[in-house]
């Protein structure tokens, strides 16, 4: 893109006139060819930091990310901007991967998204050697560190790209990383004197709150009734998402629920309703939120304690990306600490359980020793557990550890629409059409609907659309496509909407799995220490919550946020007279006429706005004042 600048690219493709803090400095570092490490908390705009420089440099940008859903989502967003992008992951056939990699060598693809497991394959390594690579961008880079909260051993293979593409700069991005994790990232990616950028973890518009609650449902309703606007409620189980959503609906609060067990269409529909503010509250497991950019979330509430502060900060950080006042609240019961300890201990089953689950997988798919290398299967956890009499919780924990060990990859509720690719050139296809009049009209309709791209790449199709164009049933369309595939004229990949399980190595002998007991114990100890830090955060009432989070991420500060529950309690004790004065003014004004919270604040014009907000909150909690249906 000759003559273009970072600002002009941002304006052209994203429609923004200016970058967010640190984005331009990070982009300029990459454009200078320097290795770059960027720690930008949730909502800091990480993707723009590698997408803009990649559009300004010649060649393809290789983006490594662990989440297939996020990968596919970013590819679709880029395509909507008319930027050529493809994704390579375990849910694809060998033939499709082959074609997409060829397109990266000989076509005009600008972004190649890839899961870290793909880097280990010989096919990928051989093709990368032939590419012109502008940049290697490693998203969720904390996954490379054994000290991170989401360690993924396949990330350790990313350094192979340094050998295959030694001239391409490497960029590492993460939302949360301690000093130890940042050091690990630099070492394992073999970064050469990288430029390091870290935005402060402090959020001056986000108030962190922990509310002790014997009755969480009652407290939840109180919060939602006094904080207007979009909300996310995080719970631990899929069952709880539905139960809490039903409770809110009964209380005339519009809500829906989301978890990985829903179908793709259900998840997409509910997500759209919430993003477009047709539904106010999203009740979800932690499967929700990654990659979703909704700036006007006013409150994020956790009904269950997250397992660590990294996860909590990331989830809480989805509130207030528009810079306006917002809240992150944990509803905490005295028993929550012991429940979390029990859960974390259950997440580390004995090595014998890991072996038995791996053997059960081999039996489930009837795999011989040495077979199924990088082969993907549909996976139903409930059916699997019933078949072998396994406990779902400990089995899921075992699958996570087998994934961490680089033996399998489990993608929950992976959705991919039907796709089509013409496996012969247009000359041979034409010859077939001339010789087979029955298929001629059908193939012509495919070309009219989806164009000549069918000859160069896999194209997303809708069988119902093809059926309408040909006056056929959907079943008849599927039959014809399957017949053409059997004739080796095209490749037809059916729609899938279920979890996928991939064997990342040839099937091993379960008694001789490459599992390191010492490392498993270290991992367990690390997760226990992270859990204890989370419990301590929730239980303590003396230290500024924002400061506790900053220090956890090695950001030393003397500053107090002034807006968390601890800071406001302190200010309330120090300014009791002010507190009482605000109470009297509020009562006086509301006796004259009803006012919104903003109108009330404008009328009082408080010197300490946060203390004023806390006064209103307490008066609502105590039943002295109340919100009506119009807020």
């Amino acid at each position: 893109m000759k003559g273009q600048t970072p600002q002009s690219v941002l304006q052209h493709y994203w429609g923004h006139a200016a970058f967010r803090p640190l984005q331009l400095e990070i982009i300029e570092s990459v454009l200078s060819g320097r290795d770059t490490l960027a720690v930008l908390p949730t909502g800091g705009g990480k993707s723009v930091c590698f997408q803009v420089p990649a559009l300004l440099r010649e060649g393809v940008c290789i983006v490594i990310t662990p989440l297939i859903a996020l990968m596919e989502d970013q590819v679709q967003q880029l395509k909507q901007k008319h930027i050529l992008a493809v994704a390579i992951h375990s849910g694809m056939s060998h033939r499709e991967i082959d074609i997409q990699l060829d397109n990266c060598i000989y076509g005009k693809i600008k972004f190649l998204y890839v899961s870290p497991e793909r880097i280990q394959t010989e096919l990928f390594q051989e093709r990368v050697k032939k590419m012109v690579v502008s940049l290697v961008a490693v998203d969720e880079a904390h996954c490379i560190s054994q000290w991170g909260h989401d360690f993924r051993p396949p990330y350790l293979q990313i350094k192979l790209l340094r050998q295959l593409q030694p001239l391409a700069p490497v960029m590492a991005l993460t939302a949360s990383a301690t000093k130890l994790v940042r050091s690990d990232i630099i070492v394992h990616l073999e970064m050469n004197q990288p430029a390091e950028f870290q935005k402060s973890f402090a959020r001056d518009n986000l108030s962190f709150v922990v509310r002790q609650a014997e009755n969480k449902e009652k407290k939840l309703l109180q919060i939602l009734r006094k904080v207007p606007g979009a909300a996310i409620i995080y719970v631990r189980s899929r069952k709880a998402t539905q139960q809490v959503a039903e409770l809110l609906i009964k209380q005339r609060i519009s809500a829906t629920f989301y978890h990985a067990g829903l179908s793709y269409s259900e998840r997409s529909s509910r997500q759209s309703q919430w993003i477009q503010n047709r539904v106010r509250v999203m009740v979800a497991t932690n499967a929700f939120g990654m990659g979703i950019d909704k700036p006007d979330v006013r409150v994020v509430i956790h009904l269950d304690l997250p397992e660590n502060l990294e996860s909590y900060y990331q989830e809480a950080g989805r509130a207030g990306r528009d810079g306006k006042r917002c809240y992150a609240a944990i509803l905490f019961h005295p028993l929550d600490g012991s429940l979390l300890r029990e859960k974390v201990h259950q997440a580390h089953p004995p090595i014998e359980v890991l072996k038995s689950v791996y053997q059960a997988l081999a039996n489930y798919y009837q795999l011989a020793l040495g077979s199924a290398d990088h082969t993907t299967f549909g996976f139903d956890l409930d059916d699997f557990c019933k078949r072998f009499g396994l406990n779902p919780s400990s089995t899921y924990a075992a699958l996570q550890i087998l994934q961490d060990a680089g033996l399998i990859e489990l993608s929950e509720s992976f959705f991919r629409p039907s796709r089509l690719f013409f496996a012969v050139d247009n000359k041979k296809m034409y010859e077939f059409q001339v010789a087979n009049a029955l298929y001629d009209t059908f193939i012509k309709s495919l070309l009219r609907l989806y164009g000549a791209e069918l000859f160069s790449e896999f194209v997303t199709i809708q069988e119902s659309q093809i059926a309408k164009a040909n006056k056929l049933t959907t079943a008849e369309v599927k039959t014809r496509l399957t017949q053409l595939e059997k004739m080796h004229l095209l490749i037809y990949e059916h729609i899938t909407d279920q979890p996928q399980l991939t064997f990342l190595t040839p099937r091993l002998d379960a008694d001789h799995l490459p599992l390191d007991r010492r490392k498993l114990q270290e991992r367990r100890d690390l997760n226990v220490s992270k859990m204890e830090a989370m419990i301590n955060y929730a239980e303590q009432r003396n230290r500024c919550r924002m400061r506790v989070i900053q220090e956890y991420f090695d950001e030393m500060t003397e500053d107090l946020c002034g807006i968390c529950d601890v800071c406001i309690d302190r200010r309330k004790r120090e300014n009791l007279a002010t507190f009482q004065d605000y109470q009297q003014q509020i009562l006086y004004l509301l006796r004259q006429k009803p006012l919104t919270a903003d109108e009330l604040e404008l009328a009082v014009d408080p010197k300490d706005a946060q203390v004023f907000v806390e006064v209103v909150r307490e008066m609502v909690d105590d039943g002295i004042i109340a919100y009506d249906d119009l807020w």
Side-chain angles (χ1 to χ4, degrees):
M1 296 181 67
K2 292 181 180 177
Q4 293 274 42
T5 65
Q7 289 86 348
S8 64
V9 170
L10 182 74
Q11 179 70 54
H12 178 75
Y13 288 106
W14 283 270
H16 300 313
F19 288 101
R20 295 177 186 174
L22 280 188
Q23 281 183 329
L24 183 58
E25 293 91 328
I26 292 166
I27 289 165
E28 287 174 340
S29 171
V30 175
L31 289 173
S32 73
R34 192 172 177 188
D35 287 349
T36 305
L37 170 60
V39 182
L40 292 176
T42 304
K46 294 190 294 298
S47 57
V48 164
C49 293
F50 64 81
Q51 288 171 348
V52 168
L55 289 169
L56 288 164
R57 290 171 68 95
E58 182 186 358
V60 61
C61 171
I62 299 176
V63 186
I64 295 114
T65 182
L67 297 170
I68 294 175
L70 190 58
M71 189 187 299
E72 293 279 13
D73 185 54
Q74 290 212 359
V75 167
Q76 286 307 312
Q77 287 179 23
L78 288 166
K79 285 181 175 178
Q80 286 167 9
K81 293 179 172 65
H82 305 291
I83 298 167
L84 294 177
V86 297
I88 303 291
H89 51 71
S90 58
M92 298 164 65
S93 68
H94 184 278
R95 178 71 171 130
E96 184 175 1
I97 291 171
D98 197 18
I99 291 162
Q100 299 288 36
L101 290 175
D102 264 358
N103 287 337
C104 291
I105 298 169
Y106 305 112
K108 296 180 180 179
I109 302 295
K110 288 301 293 181
F111 293 92
L112 167 59
Y113 281 78
V114 59
S115 57
E117 292 79 10
R118 293 291 104 190
I119 296 169
Q120 302 171 58
T121 63
E122 185 179 348
L123 172 65
F124 183 82
Q125 292 174 24
E126 287 304 313
R127 296 305 173 83
V128 167
K129 290 177 187 175
K130 299 176 183 177
M131 294 180 195
V132 176
V133 178
S134 61
L135 172 66
V136 175
V138 183
D139 200 9
E140 308 295 338
H142 59 270
C143 292
I144 206 168
S145 173
Q146 62 177 322
W147 307 110
H149 68 288
D150 198 13
F151 176 51
R152 304 284 182 92
Y155 262 71
L156 296 171
Q157 303 302 318
I158 296 172
K159 62 185 176 185
L160 285 171
L161 292 175
R162 298 243 71 156
Q163 300 160 25
L164 301 173
Q165 288 286 342
L167 299 180
V170 171
M171 181 182 198
L173 303 112
T174 180
S176 56
T178 63
K179 189 175 181 180
L180 207 54
V181 171
R182 295 196 298 274
S183 176
D184 250 9
I185 291 169
I186 292 168
V187 170
H188 291 311
L189 289 178
E190 297 180 357
M191 301 179 90
N192 181 26
Q193 295 183 324
E196 293 188 53
F197 299 90
Q198 179 172 329
K199 189 177 177 184
S200 172
F201 285 89
R203 290 276 305 275
D204 57 10
N205 67 314
L206 177 55
S207 173
F208 285 93
V209 175
V210 176
R211 294 280 181 241
Q212 301 284 342
E214 288 291 332
N215 185 330
K216 291 188 181 184
E217 288 78 10
K218 182 179 178 183
K219 183 62 71 175
L220 171 66
L221 292 170
Q222 286 177 351
I223 292 173
L224 291 174
R225 282 172 176 151
K226 69 188 177 203
V227 181
I232 305 173
I233 300 170
Y234 282 110
V235 294
R236 187 161 290 140
S237 72
R238 294 178 180 184
K239 186 178 179 181
T241 62
Q242 185 170 351
Q243 291 173 336
V244 173
E246 288 172 353
L247 167 73
L248 297 180
I249 292 166
K250 284 178 183 176
Q251 296 294 323
R252 298 172 62 194
I253 296 172
S254 67
T256 188
F257 64 94
Y258 183 109
H259 57 70
L262 297 171
S263 70
Y264 173 77
S265 59
E266 286 175 316
R267 295 197 308 274
S268 295
S269 171
R270 291 169 191 207
Q271 185 174 303
S272 296
Q273 287 178 332
W274 180 75
I275 287 174
Q276 294 164 14
N277 290 323
R278 287 185 282 133
V279 169
R280 181 186 164 204
V281 181
M282 177 65 79
V283 188
T285 61
N286 61 7
F288 178 78
M290 190 68 73
I292 293 170
D293 187 15
K294 181 172 171 61
D296 60 343
V297 178
R298 297 274 65 85
V299 61
V300 174
I301 303 168
H302 281 76
L303 292 185
D304 300 299
L305 277 182
E307 291 180 28
N308 50 66
L309 276 167
E310 287 97 335
S311 299
Y312 178 60
Y313 182 76
Q314 194 167 39
E315 291 159 12
R318 292 178 182 133
R321 293 185 182 181
D322 55 6
K324 296 178 182 177
R325 183 188 294 162
C326 58
Y327 301 87
I330 292 174
L331 302 188
F332 185 69
H333 188 279
L335 288 176
D336 285 349
S338 57
L339 289 173
L340 181 59
R341 288 186 180 99
E342 184 180 341
K343 180 180 185 294
V344 170
H345 288 300
Q346 286 176 346
H348 295 273
I351 205 162
E352 288 70 29
V353 173
L354 305 181
K355 291 177 179 179
S356 65
V357 169
Y358 186 88
Q359 182 62 53
L361 286 172
N363 296 342
Y364 191 54
Y365 297 114
Q366 299 182 314
L367 303 177
L369 285 170
S371 68
D373 184 18
H374 280 88
T375 303
T376 299
F377 304 93
F379 183 68
D380 184 326
L381 179 63
D382 290 335
D383 180 64
F384 176 67
C385 290
K386 284 175 186 173
R387 182 91 60 91
F388 297 96
L390 300 171
N391 174 273
S393 296
S394 60
T395 301
Y396 184 75
L399 291 170
Q400 293 294 315
I401 294 173
L402 291 172
Q403 177 170 266
D404 289 347
L407 298 174
I408 63 168
E409 180 184 13
L410 181 63
S411 312
E412 289 193 78
S413 292
F414 166 61
F415 172 77
R416 188 186 63 211
S418 295
R419 307 215 278 197
L420 201 62
F421 172 72
F422 283 1
V424 297
D425 60 26
N426 54 4
K427 184 177 177 224
K428 286 186 178 175
M429 185 63 82
Y430 178 71
E431 289 170 356
F432 174 82
Q433 288 172 254
V434 171
N436 296 271
L438 177 65
Y439 287 102
D440 180 46
T441 304
F442 184 71
I443 292 169
K444 281 178 179 172
S445 77
L446 294 176
L447 287 165
R448 273 197 307 274
L449 286 168
Y450 303 111
E453 283 184 3
L454 285 164
F455 289 103
S456 60
E457 63 179 289
F458 277 79
V459 175
T460 298
I461 63 164
Q462 287 182 315
E463 288 89 345
S464 59
Q465 187 182 34
I466 299 168
K468 187 177 180 182
N470 289 276
K471 296 181 179 176
L472 299 170
T473 66
T474 301
E476 287 170 332
V477 168
K478 291 178 179 178
T479 300
R480 289 198 183 188
L481 291 172
T482 302
Q483 288 169 341
L484 288 168
E485 183 172 42
K486 287 177 180 175
M487 297 177 201
H488 305 292
L489 291 163
L490 53 79
I491 299 172
Y492 172 42
E493 296 198 343
H494 298 250
I495 188 170
T496 181
D497 186 15
Q498 68 174 131
Q500 305 276 293
L501 189 140
T502 304
F503 280 78
L504 299 176
T505 68
R507 188 235 141 161
L508 303 169
D509 180 348
D511 287 330
H512 297 92
L513 294 180
L515 298 170
D516 188 321
R517 287 180 185 272
R518 182 181 60 82
K519 285 190 175 179
L520 288 173
Q521 184 61 43
E522 285 177 354
R523 190 76 196 151
R524 181 183 182 281
D525 293 344
L526 178 67
N527 287 341
V528 167
S529 69
K530 288 177 178 294
M531 168 199 71
E532 292 296 346
M534 184 71 241
I535 293 171
N536 177 65
Y537 168 88
E539 289 181 340
Q540 69 89 26
R541 304 276 311 157
N542 301 313
R543 302 185 65 228
C544 166
R545 296 202 186 277
M546 187 71 259
R547 190 169 170 181
V548 170
I549 290 171
Q550 287 175 271
E551 290 178 2
Y552 179 82
F553 290 114
D554 303 307
E555 183 182 331
M556 295 303 122
T557 178
E558 295 299 318
D559 296 333
L560 303 176
C561 75
I563 58 175
C564 71
D565 58 331
V566 176
C567 286
I568 287 175
D569 280 347
R570 183 183 297 115
R571 284 157 66 185
K572 175 183 164 185
R573 290 193 300 271
E574 293 169 354
N575 299 281
L576 189 58
T578 302
F579 202 89
Q580 292 170 340
D581 179 51
Y582 290 159
Q583 280 184 325
Q584 291 170 3
Q585 289 189 63
I586 289 166
L587 286 171
Y588 174 78
L589 288 164
L590 291 181
R591 285 188 184 112
Q592 316 304 313
K593 62 177 180 178
L595 296 168
T596 66
D598 288 341
E599 289 169 341
L600 198 56
E601 186 172 342
L602 195 64
V604 173
D605 190 21
K607 289 183 180 178
D608 193 326
Q610 292 301 328
V611 168
F612 176 80
V613 170
E614 185 66 11
V615 172
V616 173
R617 182 192 72 78
E618 281 202 8
M619 292 176 76
V620 171
D621 284 354
D622 294 340
I624 300 169
I625 60 176
Y627 285 99
D628 62 18
D629 291 341
L630 299 176
W631 293 99

